[in-house]
Amino acid sequence: LGLGRGIWFALFHAVSAFCNAGFDLMGVFGAYSSLTPFAGDALVNTVIMALILIGGIGFFIWGDLIENGLRFSSYSLHTKIMLFATAVLVLAPAVVFFFSEADGAFAGMSLGERVLASFFQSVTFRTAGFNTADFTNMSGGGWLVSLFLMFVGGGVGSTAGGVKVTSIVAVALSSLSVVSGKKDAEAFGRRLDAEQVSRAYAICVYTLILALAGSLIILLAQPLPAKDVLFETFSAVCTVGVSTGITRELAPVSRIVIMLLMYIGRLGSVSALMAVAEKRGARLQLPVEKIIIG
């Protein structure tokens, strides 16, 4: 590429990775290649993954880390949850990708390349948008994990999208408290605020409805594989930027749907709905009546 062009490429991709933008200039190596030419390059993979995580974990976390150093007990509950959940969301999906994509997206790769690709895909699906493997060859298990990672996204106050890690954790802890017979969701010796848990449920539900509704509209508008359409809509509403390659085949109405999903996803599903809904203070409290659940 030459020194000057190489520096420009490196700077562009570093900024794109930190901002979880997903834009790349790797078309010079082949159409829609992204970072696949560097699938076996440990330095490129490590640096890009580190920048994605640094930008996507949330600036509140970095403030806490700078203030308290390595004293985990001094961290806020938010920081503890984010650090623990981020580690799980990187390691667990990487293991799944390593085994599920051996004959799929990672076919033909050496052992070292598979390890790098597993971790890279585990990180990039959390709204970064790069890829070092061909998504069109992804197995069913890998596809399902990818949807989940896109849905989760990064941290609050970060450059990432999705419903946010703390929303998923709040929903998971609340569900666990119901099964275990506890009244409140708890973590690290603290009780989660009930109002915040309700908001987390709303964010997850509304985002899921938007993605499924967008998929339905696109499928009604043109005959495309449902698997690819779901991948596209989840990527849009969670502002990920990855695709199986159908974006350029979308009809005008489908492209409008994708644009709206990206815009709403960037605002936040609950924020977008609150912006168009009239907020009224409750003047009286309605009587309670129970319904049958589950």
Side-chain angles (χ1 to χ4, degrees):
L1 293 175
L3 180 60
R5 197 176 182 189
I7 293 174
W8 162 244
F9 265 57
L11 180 61
F12 183 93
H13 289 86
V15 173
S16 181
F18 176 78
C19 295
N20 281 235
F23 291 108
D24 66 72
L25 302 174
M26 292 304 174
V28 295
F29 296 103
Y32 315 108
S33 63
S34 190
L35 296 179
T36 52
F38 301 94
D41 193 315
L43 178 62
V44 171
N45 279 258
T46 303
V47 171
I48 294 296
M49 283 190 289
L51 288 170
I52 292 170
L53 290 172
I54 290 171
I57 201 170
F59 298 109
F60 302 115
I61 307 299
W62 292 112
D64 206 353
L65 292 175
I66 291 171
E67 182 179 349
N68 295 297
L70 299 177
R71 298 189 300 274
F72 187 82
S73 59
S74 300
Y75 296 156
S76 67
L77 178 60
H78 177 80
T79 299
K80 290 177 181 178
I81 288 176
M82 276 300 303
L83 292 177
F84 180 78
T86 298
V88 172
L89 288 169
V90 170
L91 293 174
V95 173
V96 175
F97 283 131
F98 181 81
F99 291 104
S100 69
E101 303 310 312
D103 298 318
F106 302 163
M109 291 185 178
S110 65
L111 179 61
E113 289 176 337
R114 277 177 60 193
V115 171
L116 279 175
S118 298
F119 277 100
F120 193 90
Q121 264 55 239
S122 181
V123 172
T124 195
F125 276 120
R126 302 258 311 285
T127 82
F130 295 112
N131 65 281
T132 57
D134 186 0
F135 294 151
T136 59
N137 296 323
M138 187 172 290
S139 67
W143 173 82
L144 192 60
V145 172
S146 302
L147 286 190
F148 173 73
L149 290 175
M150 287 192 284
F151 185 72
V152 174
V156 177
S158 73
T159 58
V163 299
K164 302 298 186 291
V165 174
T166 44
S167 296
I168 290 293
V169 171
V171 169
L173 291 175
S174 177
S175 301
L176 185 62
S177 69
V178 172
V179 175
S180 60
K182 295 180 180 179
K183 183 179 179 181
D184 301 299
E186 300 173 354
F188 297 103
R190 294 290 186 271
R191 178 169 53 88
L192 271 62
D193 180 70
E195 186 176 342
Q196 288 186 317
V197 172
S198 297
R199 184 178 177 85
Y201 272 108
I203 291 171
C204 292
V205 169
Y206 290 144
T207 302
L208 184 61
I209 290 174
L210 284 169
L212 295 178
S215 298
L216 179 60
I217 294 171
I218 293 174
L219 289 170
L220 291 174
Q222 55 186 132
L224 290 170
K227 186 176 177 181
D228 292 342
V229 172
L230 280 169
F231 197 92
E232 197 83 3
T233 53
F234 270 82
S235 177
V237 77
C238 298
T239 64
V240 183
V242 293
S243 173
T244 56
I246 67 169
T247 309
R248 54 191 177 275
E249 300 174 13
L250 295 177
V253 64
S254 300
R255 295 186 183 188
I256 291 173
V257 169
I258 293 297
M259 286 189 289
L260 288 173
L261 288 176
M262 288 190 290
Y263 184 73
I264 293 172
R266 186 66 273 178
L267 288 176
S269 57
V270 173
S271 298
L273 290 170
M274 288 175 64
V276 298
E278 184 180 357
K279 191 173 183 180
R280 298 176 180 175
R283 296 184 178 179
L284 53 88
Q285 195 171 27
L286 297 175
V288 175
E289 184 173 347
K290 292 185 179 181
I291 60 174
I292 301 173
I293 299 293

